[in-house]
């Protein structure tokens, strides 16, 4: 059987990393390999992207991989407490570190602040107190301070560029 494409991020691994893995590899073996490679905490957990519970160490990679491979996240925090502020109102919820920024934004904008798809599309999540606007596919676990398992965002209007083209005049 051919190898499986594995894409992952994790605590201290901000950029998406790629690895080809044998299908019969257990998640326990994979986790040990990633911990060794990146110097992660020995008690780190392995999560599938946008799933709330850690992967079962005894399960094999082939049991979870799809046609396009597998997206994972390695982190010592089981949950990240995320706060989102919009128009002076702050809401919070716990997410797995493998939750994407897009998932958090959908929850906050549409479910909690009642925005339509169109309104939500005109807003982005910005890390509170900064001008940093992480990409929608970023796992929130890479944005967390290593000393805490919490993160705060502001839901802000996306920047728009208005004006005429140069050849108008």
């Amino acid at each position: 059987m051919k190898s499986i494409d594995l894409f992952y991020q994790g605590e201290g691994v901000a950029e998406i990393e790629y690895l080809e893995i044998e299908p019969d590899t257990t998640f326990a073996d994979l986790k040990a390999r990633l911990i060794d490679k990146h110097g992660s905490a020995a008690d780190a957990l392995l999560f599938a992207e946008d799933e709330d519970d850690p992967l079962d160490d005894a399960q094999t990679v082939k049991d979870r991989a799809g046609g396009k491979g597998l997206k994972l996240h390695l982190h010592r925090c089981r949950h990240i407490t995320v706060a989102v502020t919009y128009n002076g109102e702050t809401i919070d919820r716990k997410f797995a570190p493998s939750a994407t920024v897009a998932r958090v934004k959908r929850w906050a904008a549409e479910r909690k602040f009642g925005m339509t798809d169109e309104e939500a599309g005109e807003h982005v999540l910005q890390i509170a107190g900064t001008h940093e606007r992480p990409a929608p596919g970023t796992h929130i676990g890479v944005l967390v301070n290593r000393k805490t398992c919490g993160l705060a965002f502001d839901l802000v209007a996306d920047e728009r560029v208005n004006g005429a083209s140069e050849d108008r005049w």
Side-chain angles (χ1 to χ4, degrees):
M1 186 176 228
K2 70 177 198 168
S3 61
I4 293 175
D5 295 326
L6 177 70
F7 303 91
Y8 67 94
Q9 290 178 297
E11 187 175 13
V13 185
E15 297 300 317
I16 297 172
E17 298 275 336
Y18 171 77
L19 184 65
E20 287 185 14
I21 196 85
E22 293 303 314
D24 290 326
T25 304
T26 65
F27 286 115
D29 291 339
L30 174 59
K31 183 169 53 172
R33 183 174 171 180
L34 295 177
I35 287 170
D36 184 54
K37 179 178 180 179
H38 297 287
S40 303
D43 60 346
L45 302 167
L46 198 57
F47 295 84
E49 183 174 84
D50 277 334
E51 290 190 13
D52 294 327
D53 294 317
L55 291 164
D56 180 350
D57 282 348
Q59 197 172 31
T60 62
V61 172
K62 71 180 176 191
D63 294 335
R64 296 301 307 264
K68 295 182 180 180
L70 190 58
K71 295 178 182 178
L72 302 176
H73 190 90
L74 181 71
H75 211 282
R76 66 181 170 77
C77 297
R78 190 176 200 309
H79 297 103
I80 307 292
T81 302
V82 178
V84 179
T85 301
Y86 175 69
N87 278 346
E89 181 183 350
T90 301
I91 55 172
D92 60 70
R93 177 183 160 196
K94 291 181 179 181
F95 287 90
S98 63
T100 59
V101 170
R103 180 177 176 205
V104 173
K105 179 187 156 194
R106 227 178 1 264
W107 163 77
E110 296 173 17
R111 294 192 186 117
K112 291 299 182 178
F113 293 123
M115 292 182 174
T116 64
D117 285 344
E118 186 177 321
E119 290 169 327
E122 295 177 3
H123 290 77
V124 295
L125 289 178
Q126 179 172 297
I127 296 174
T130 74
H131 294 288
E132 187 178 343
R133 296 174 174 194
T138 302
H139 292 167
I140 62 170
V142 302
L143 304 171
V144 174
N145 177 319
R146 286 180 176 251
K147 295 178 183 174
T148 68
C149 293
L151 180 62
F153 287 111
D154 293 320
L155 183 62
V156 298
D158 199 3
E159 295 174 0
R160 296 182 213 186
V161 178
N162 294 319
S165 63
E166 289 184 33
D167 59 346
R168 181 175 173 209
W169 300 104

